[in-house]
Amino acid sequence: METAPATAAADERPSRRSRRDDRALTCAILDATIAEVDRVGYANLNVERIAELASASKASLYRRWPGKFELVLDAIYHVFPDPSTLADTGGLRSDLLATLRSAADQLAGPAGHAIRGIVADVLRDPRRAAQFRAHTRGNSRQAMRQIVARAGARGELDPESITSRQLEAGLSLIRFHFLTNAGPIPDEVLVEIIDEIILPLFTGR
Amino acid sequence: METAPATAAADERPSRRSRRDDRALTCAILDATIAEVDRVGYANLNVERIAELASASKASLYRRWPGKFELVLDAIYHVFPDPSTLADTGGLRSDLLATLRSAADQLAGPAGHAIRGIVADVLRDPRRAAQFRAHTRGNSRQAMRQIVARAGARGELDPESITSRQLEAGLSLIRFHFLTNAGPIPDEVLVEIIDEIILPLFTGR
């Protein structure tokens, strides 16, 4: 997906397109996708309009993504912050707050709009479920693992005692709240999930 | 909803219809609704066909439920077991297992099919969210409160130390798993949620 194939469509001028250009085009398409999902909703999304907005050919979109579902899924994780860039706040609780607030902020914006559309699609077509899950679980696990590793290094908890299911419980509860409630996630919900669920599970109180 | 109004449509013969008959008609409509959701899916559900299956008039359906969403929501909780009938197995862990297995069985059947459809509706129209939540939270809270009260009476935990969010965490995680995965919920997922999430939160390990 990151290097243009030698047989790229003529309208892409492969001879002039460097690896850098190709990444920039992918970014432009994903940015346009998120903007369009936010404007018209997932159900009404039109791939031709996205190509137009990103000044890309339809062929260049379909070469990268087989369809709307895969394109929007990539677009969501394109705008979500990279877990490896999470701020180190110096404490377990403050790291959790920063991470969950950042996730809630993302869900309150265009990415959240796109996620509601994707999940509605998953519910109508269960074959989509595996694709969706592969994306979400990988990302949340990585973010929580990093927080736990840091807290372990500071002696706040024992990373070995925390199971995968415990690691993911907090983010799953936030996502469930998001899917079954309208509007942004209130900050007190994040604080309750941290203080009443995640911290007891991670530290044994 | 349980007594026929004096002005009921002529096709219902109100003079002959007792309170008992009215309840039986409501049951027949809800049973037909769940059977139809299972057969054709929520999106393709036809209220006229449900009236036909339940030998009811369309007017009698619309007098009870303003639309498809409310009808299916009632039908789901009609087939879900009443929390007050939960078996008392004599122990906290076995009570939790029995309750979550019963919930998972219901989700694997027609009620689960209906819930996927309802949630897809909620995701497209966030105003539905409050209606959906009011139904689900009441039921799950009641079931878990009863289990906790019994365990408290046996001295297995302190009911006062368990917050609302902790009370609901297990069922929320099961529902989240259901919504983001295809097929029935594997038993090992239920066991992990009980052993790694609910029991630590309820008993402090």
Side-chain angles (χ1 to χ4, degrees):
Chain A
M1 206 148 77
E2 289 187 359
T3 48
T7 57
D11 64 352
E12 297 241 331
R13 299 194 185 90
S15 59
R16 292 205 217 153
R17 185 171 291 289
S18 69
R19 173 184 291 253
R20 178 72 200 91
D21 286 344
D22 202 67
R23 272 198 198 135
L25 181 63
T26 300
C27 274
I29 294 169
L30 294 176
D31 285 338
T33 302
I34 280 292
E36 268 302 275
V37 175
D38 197 39
R39 200 177 66 85
V40 302
Y42 177 80
N44 302 315
L45 202 66
N46 180 319
V47 171
E48 288 188 37
R49 171 83 185 126
I50 291 170
E52 212 178 288
L53 283 169
S55 309
S57 66
K58 267 205 297 176
S60 67
L61 257 87
Y62 284 115
R63 203 164 45 236
R64 290 170 172 81
W65 300 279
K68 192 168 95 165
F69 183 83
E70 294 80 3
L71 172 59
V72 175
L73 212 48
D74 261 11
I76 291 167
Y77 292 96
H78 172 64
V79 300
F80 261 70
D82 178 350
S84 67
T85 64
L86 285 175
D88 184 349
T89 66
L92 172 59
R93 188 172 184 277
S94 52
D95 265 8
L96 289 168
L97 261 177
T99 304
L100 297 198
R101 279 180 179 150
S102 152
D105 279 351
Q106 293 296 332
L107 290 173
H113 201 161
I115 287 174
R116 288 189 201 271
I118 285 275
V119 174
D121 230 37
V122 165
L123 292 170
R124 276 189 297 264
D125 179 3
R127 287 166 300 176
R128 303 288 206 195
Q131 273 174 284
F132 174 71
R133 212 167 53 250
H135 258 283
T136 54
R137 293 191 71 169
N139 245 353
S140 71
R141 266 197 182 150
Q142 203 187 323
M144 296 307 277
R145 275 216 184 93
Q146 194 175 320
I147 291 175
V148 161
R150 283 180 192 159
R154 284 186 303 256
E156 291 185 81
L157 50 73
D158 172 15
E160 298 298 311
S161 73
I162 298 168
T163 68
S164 288
R165 196 160 292 282
Q166 291 174 332
L167 201 67
E168 285 171 37
L171 277 162
S172 295
L173 289 173
I174 283 166
R175 289 184 180 132
F176 182 71
H177 181 96
F178 171 73
L179 293 178
T180 55
N181 287 269
I185 305 173
D187 201 58
E188 59 263 34
V189 171
L190 303 180
V191 170
E192 273 185 34
I193 288 175
I194 291 172
D195 289 339
E196 300 177 17
I197 310 289
I198 303 178
L199 287 176
L201 292 175
F202 281 11
T203 66
R205 302 215 189 214
Chain B
M1 207 148 74
E2 289 185 0
T3 49
T7 56
D11 64 353
E12 295 240 331
R13 299 192 187 90
S15 59
R16 293 205 219 155
R17 186 172 289 291
S18 69
R19 174 184 290 255
R20 177 72 200 91
D21 286 343
D22 200 69
R23 271 198 200 136
L25 181 64
T26 298
C27 273
I29 294 169
L30 294 175
D31 285 339
T33 301
I34 279 293
E36 268 303 276
V37 174
D38 198 38
R39 200 177 65 85
V40 302
Y42 177 80
N44 302 316
L45 202 65
N46 181 318
V47 171
E48 289 188 37
R49 171 85 186 126
I50 292 170
E52 211 178 288
L53 284 169
S55 308
S57 67
K58 266 205 297 176
S60 66
L61 258 88
Y62 283 116
R63 205 164 43 237
R64 289 170 173 81
W65 299 279
K68 193 168 97 166
F69 183 83
E70 294 80 4
L71 172 60
V72 174
L73 210 49
D74 260 12
I76 290 168
Y77 292 95
H78 172 66
V79 300
F80 260 71
D82 178 351
S84 67
T85 64
L86 286 174
D88 184 350
T89 66
L92 172 60
R93 187 173 185 279
S94 52
D95 266 8
L96 288 168
L97 261 177
T99 304
L100 297 196
R101 277 179 181 151
S102 154
D105 279 352
Q106 294 296 334
L107 290 173
H113 201 160
I115 287 176
R116 288 189 201 271
I118 284 274
V119 175
D121 231 36
V122 165
L123 292 171
R124 274 188 300 262
D125 178 3
R127 289 165 299 177
R128 302 289 205 195
Q131 275 173 283
F132 174 71
R133 213 168 53 249
H135 258 285
T136 53
R137 294 192 71 171
N139 243 354
S140 70
R141 267 197 183 151
Q142 203 186 325
M144 296 307 276
R145 274 215 185 95
Q146 193 174 321
I147 290 176
V148 162
R150 283 178 190 159
R154 284 185 305 256
E156 290 185 82
L157 51 74
D158 171 16
E160 298 298 312
S161 73
I162 299 168
T163 67
S164 287
R165 196 160 290 284
Q166 290 174 332
L167 200 68
E168 285 171 36
L171 278 162
S172 295
L173 288 172
I174 282 166
R175 289 186 180 131
F176 183 72
H177 180 97
F178 171 73
L179 292 178
T180 54
N181 287 269
I185 305 173
D187 202 57
E188 58 264 33
V189 171
L190 302 180
V191 170
E192 274 185 32
I193 288 174
I194 291 172
D195 289 339
E196 301 176 16
I197 310 288
I198 303 179
L199 287 177
L201 292 176
F202 282 11
T203 66
R205 304 221 185 213

